[in-house]
Amino acid sequence: MATKNIDPNNLSPEEDWIGNNAAFKCLLCGNTFIVSGMLHRNGRKCTNCGKSTGYCKGGKNSGGSATIEW
């Protein structure tokens, strides 16, 4: 399984991160989906293909992490 960590200081046009919410672009199907650190504590699968999973733990400005696995 491959992993990509989101850099809060270098977001791509397909990414966003505010507080403990992050938007990811699925690297398999191209769908953009949102992951809430509060609502999706165990990650959230791509809402289109279900083959990647996004995780958001902690806040962007408080040392948190946002990661997508596929």
Side-chain angles (χ1 to χ4, degrees):
M1 183 168 284
T3 302
K4 178 182 180 192
N5 295 316
I6 306 297
D7 180 349
N9 299 310
N10 190 26
L11 298 172
S12 77
E14 294 91 11
E15 301 167 338
D16 197 8
W17 188 2
I18 185 163
N20 65 344
N21 303 292
F24 298 92
K25 179 179 180 181
C26 177
L27 298 171
L28 298 174
C29 74
N31 180 54
T32 299
F33 63 104
I34 297 170
V35 178
S36 166
M38 291 184 72
L39 297 176
H40 310 112
R41 294 184 189 269
N42 297 317
R44 184 178 189 205
K45 293 200 176 286
C46 173
T47 55
N48 185 56
C49 72
K51 295 179 181 176
S52 66
T53 304
Y55 301 91
C56 188
K57 299 184 189 288
K60 174 184 176 184
N61 296 324
S62 61
S65 65
T67 305
I68 188 168
E69 296 177 342
W70 69 97

